[in-house]
Amino acid sequence: GAGVSQSPRYKVAKRGQDVALRCDPISGHVSLFWYQQALGQGPEFLTYFQNEAQLDKSGLPSDRFFAERPEGSVSTLKIQRTQQEDSAVYLCASSLAAGFYGYTFGSGTRLTVV
Amino acid sequence: AQKVTQAQTEISVVEKEDVTLDCVYETRDTTYYLFWYKQPPSGELVFLIRRNSFDEQNEISGRYSWNFQKSTSSFNFTITASQVVDSAVYFCALSEARDSSASKIIFGSGTRLSIRP
């Protein structure tokens, strides 16, 4: 597609439920990032993939958060046993190659945990 | 550690006024990139500019201009003759410059800009 696509656009989860958020990067983009944006804050880095390899997961807030990109294209961010503090917008960004070629962000998934 | 500070949480001006958004950064890297992004209500982050740490020339793009001052670690953004469509949250951001892998972007907390008609 022309841009980074994220689904679902909105997700409401009951506390304790598992959720899976999907990111479709721009075709051919090697690098993929996940960010978490709490209300009124700037995006915060979660994790980074180069192709299928997860090179940096230092931003994942707990072991309830897990991300994968098994074929080096689509990525899924999974949150287990959701808690209210997980409520945020989850943004995905992709970049053409390693090194810096500019990032394109998706519109995000707004997760609300009730 | 890298850090970006946007001290202005919210700014409100009347249309056609000029407005400057402040950004101060901290990094130990000698080579880095600075960015400005716009986030309209739709939520998508829209890229505005990237500046390499070696390039201190100011840049102008239409009504937008950026002032990079390495001596004060600042990268301020000015909108001239503001318009209602400029209303959004603006983020300043910083990343390392690497050749071998992409680098995460560190964002400031954002400045919410409201332009009143």
Side-chain angles (χ1 to χ4, degrees), chain A residues 9 31 33 35 37 40-43 45 48 50 55-56 58 91 97-101 103 105-107, chain B residues 33 35 37 39 42-45 47 50 91 95 98-110:
Chain A
R9 188 76 173 90
S31 299
F33 295 81
Y35 286 82
Q37 186 176 16
Q41 300 295 317
F45 170 79
Y48 159 59
Q50 186 173 337
L55 297 188
D56 188 346
S58 62
L91 293 164
F100 187 81
Y101 289 85
Y103 305 89
F105 281 84
S107 296
Chain B
Y33 292 111
F35 307 81
Y37 283 87
Q39 189 173 46
S42 61
E44 190 168 335
L45 280 165
F47 170 82
R50 179 192 71 168
F91 291 99
S95 76
R98 295 185 197 163
D99 293 329
S100 60
S101 66
S103 180
K104 63 187 176 187
I105 300 177
I106 306 299
F107 288 86
S109 56

Side-chain angles (χ1 to χ4, degrees), chain A:
Chain A
V4 177
S5 178
Q6 292 188 246
S7 61
R9 188 76 173 90
Y10 302 94
K11 175 70 179 177
V12 178
K14 291 185 178 179
R15 191 172 55 182
Q17 189 178 355
D18 297 349
V19 298
L21 312 180
R22 178 187 170 103
C23 172
D24 273 279
I26 293 174
S27 179
H29 275 201
V30 167
S31 299
L32 185 145
F33 295 81
W34 283 99
Y35 286 82
Q36 180 191 57
Q37 186 176 16
L39 188 64
Q41 300 295 317
E44 292 194 1
F45 170 79
L46 293 177
T47 188
Y48 159 59
F49 289 87
Q50 186 173 337
N51 295 308
E52 68 278 5
Q54 190 174 19
L55 297 188
D56 188 346
K57 53 182 180 179
S58 62
L60 296 176
S62 77
D63 58 8
R64 296 186 296 103
F65 286 71
F66 172 76
E68 60 184 7
R69 194 186 185 197
E71 296 177 359
S73 56
V74 171
S75 176
T76 304
L77 176 66
K78 297 179 179 178
I79 308 173
Q80 297 176 325
R81 304 181 303 281
T82 52
Q83 300 177 6
Q84 283 193 319
E85 61 261 33
D86 300 334
S87 295
V89 175
Y90 291 85
L91 293 164
C92 177
S94 70
S95 178
L96 180 60
F100 187 81
Y101 289 85
Y103 305 89
T104 302
F105 281 84
S107 296
T109 294
R110 181 177 297 277
L111 172 66
T112 303
V113 181
V114 298

Side-chain angles (χ1 to χ4, degrees), chain B residues 1 4 10 16 22 32-33 36 38 40 46 52 54 60-61 74 76 78 80 85 89 99-100 106:
Chain B
V4 176
E10 292 192 39
K16 297 184 184 176
D22 297 334
Y32 51 89
Y33 292 111
W36 276 94
K38 175 181 180 180
V46 178
N52 186 303
F54 290 124
I60 299 174
S61 176
S74 66
N76 296 337
T78 297
T80 303
V85 294
V89 180
D99 293 329
S100 60
I106 306 299

